[in-house]
């Protein structure tokens, strides 16, 4: 197996961007919730729209949580790469070298 080249700062940066994108899903949820009550008649249509809105907003909430978790995992991976490099590869030669 060959050596894996990783730029830890880039991994952390991308993780942060993924988290910020996920936060935008909350805005979509808010917009969708604003649709509730926009149709009153016929009752069947209003009920169907309300049910659809509830299902979509619940799905978006789950998606938001998953995407945030993915982004946080990227941030943690970048941090752990840096920590491992700092602990495993000394910056200066050992004393007496």
């Amino acid at each position: 197996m060959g050596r894996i080249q990783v730029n830890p700062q880039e991994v952390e940066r991308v993780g942060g961007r993924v988290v910020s994108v996920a936060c935008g899903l909350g805005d979509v949820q808010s917009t969708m919730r604003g649709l509730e009550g926009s149709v009153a008649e016929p009752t069947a249509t209003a009920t169907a729209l309300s049910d659809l809105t509830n299902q979509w907003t619940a799905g978006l909430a789950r998606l938001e949580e998953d995407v945030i978790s993915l982004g946080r995992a990227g941030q943690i991976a970048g941090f752990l790469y840096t920590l491992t490099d700092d602990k495993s590869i000394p910056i200066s030669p050992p004393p007496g070298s």
Side-chain angles (χ1 to χ4, degrees):
M1 180 190 291
R3 181 178 165 94
I4 298 173
Q5 297 290 327
V6 174
N7 179 336
Q9 293 79 20
E10 186 67 13
V11 173
E12 283 188 66
R13 186 186 70 75
V14 169
R17 290 183 65 199
V18 169
V19 170
S20 68
V21 166
C23 293
L25 293 172
D27 296 338
V28 175
Q29 291 174 58
S30 296
T31 301
M32 291 197 66
R33 281 190 203 103
L35 294 174
E36 284 190 283
S38 62
V39 175
E41 294 295 329
T43 306
T45 302
T47 301
L49 182 58
S50 178
D51 290 345
L52 180 64
T53 300
N54 289 333
Q55 289 176 16
W56 281 9
T57 55
L60 284 168
R62 287 190 302 274
L63 178 61
E64 180 181 26
E65 291 172 7
D66 290 346
V67 173
I68 287 172
S69 294
L70 174 65
R72 297 266 190 257
Q75 291 174 314
I76 291 168
F79 169 77
L80 291 175
Y81 273 116
T82 300
L83 182 65
T84 301
D85 285 349
D86 290 348
K87 299 294 180 187
S88 304
I89 306 169
I91 295 173
S92 59
S97 297

